[in-house]
């Protein structure tokens, strides 16, 4: 497949198929299920919109503990480049105070979004914060950040599909594909 990026044709190659993603999500859910909240309270799944929408929807179906769902919208990217500036596009729910929170992200790139969210959640006073990311680009990390649960580690190439966008497009692809060149 070819797509246009900034007016130029770029090749796209499937990295993870629908089946591979589905199988890996079952594995991640097993890891999360092995770590129930210490006090038995419901785990608050905080979906980072819009990228993690599909991942979170499939993941929560495999969680076997009491679960609540919240969401937050943040923005950091324009085109295929991180702006480095994180914007909170919706307020974080104050009811997260004292709760055990699982942040669900589509991808960790520089890690700035996660660092930013961690600070915001600490200010609210969550009981604990864990991170589940479908994808992780370890070579791109700007700070020492590690997700607790990672679906797949990938290189630096920009990826689209299964929630991940290029300027708002391609989120609906059932697979994850990498933009080449
Ligand atoms: P970070 O703050 O640099 O870690 O970037 C995290 C956010 O940037 C993710 O939640 C995505 O929305 C977006 N992002 C990073 N890399 C990609 C990519 O390869 N494709 C699509 N979005 C990406
Ligand atoms: Mg995005």
């Amino acid at each position: 497949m070819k797509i246009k990026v900034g007016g130029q044709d770029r090749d796209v190659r499937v990295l993870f198929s629908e089946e591979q993603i589905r199988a890996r999500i079952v594995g991640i859910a097993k890891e999360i299920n092995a770590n129930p909240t210490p006090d038995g309270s419901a785990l608050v799944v905080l979906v980072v919109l819009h990228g993690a929408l599909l991942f979170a929807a499939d993941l929560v179906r495999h969680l076997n503990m009491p679960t609540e769902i919240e969401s937050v919208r943040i923005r950091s990217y324009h085109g295929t480049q991180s702006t480095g500036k994180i914007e909170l596009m919706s307020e974080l729910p104050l009811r997260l105070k004292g709760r055990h929170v699982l942040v669900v992200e589509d991808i960790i790139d520089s890690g700035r979004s996660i660092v930013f969210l961690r600070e915001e959640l600490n200010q609210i006073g969550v009981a604990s914060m864990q991170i589940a990311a479908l994808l992780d680009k370890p070579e791109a990390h700007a700070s020492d950040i590690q997700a607790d649960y990672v679906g797949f580690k990938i290189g630096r190439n920009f990826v689209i599909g299964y929630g991940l966008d290029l300027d708002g497009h391609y989120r609906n692809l059932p697979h994850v594909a990498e933009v080449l060149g």
Side-chain angles (χ1 to χ4, degrees), residues 76-77 82 86 105-113 137 157-159 164-165:
S76 66
Y77 250 77
S82 176
I86 317 293
E105 260 280 25
D106 52 357
I107 187 165
I108 299 180
D109 184 27
S110 70
R112 286 192 195 97
S113 302
K137 293 178 175 172
N157 276 356
F158 197 77
V159 291
L164 292 126
D165 72 303

Side-chain angles (χ1 to χ4, degrees), residues 22-105:
R22 194 180 306 134
R24 186 64 194 109
I25 286 176
V26 171
I28 300 171
K30 274 199 189 127
E31 294 173 37
I32 298 170
N33 287 335
N35 284 316
T37 59
D39 54 5
S41 64
L43 179 70
V44 184
V45 175
L46 182 65
V47 187
V48 184
L49 297 176
H50 302 308
L53 195 55
L54 280 70
F55 174 42
D58 287 338
L59 181 67
V60 292
R61 279 178 254 206
H62 296 284
L63 298 183
N64 63 11
M65 64 188 81
T67 301
E68 293 173 28
I69 299 179
E70 288 286 353
S71 64
V72 63
R73 233 192 116 192
I74 60 174
R75 190 171 66 175
S76 66
Y77 250 77
H78 292 286
T80 61
Q81 292 299 315
S82 176
T83 58
K85 193 173 132 250
I86 317 293
E87 286 172 274
L88 204 49
M89 310 291 286
S90 72
E91 302 233 326
L92 271 170
L94 290 174
R95 58 180 289 279
L96 295 178
K97 184 174 163 66
R99 306 299 303 277
H100 294 282
V101 178
L102 177 71
V103 175
V104 178
E105 260 280 25

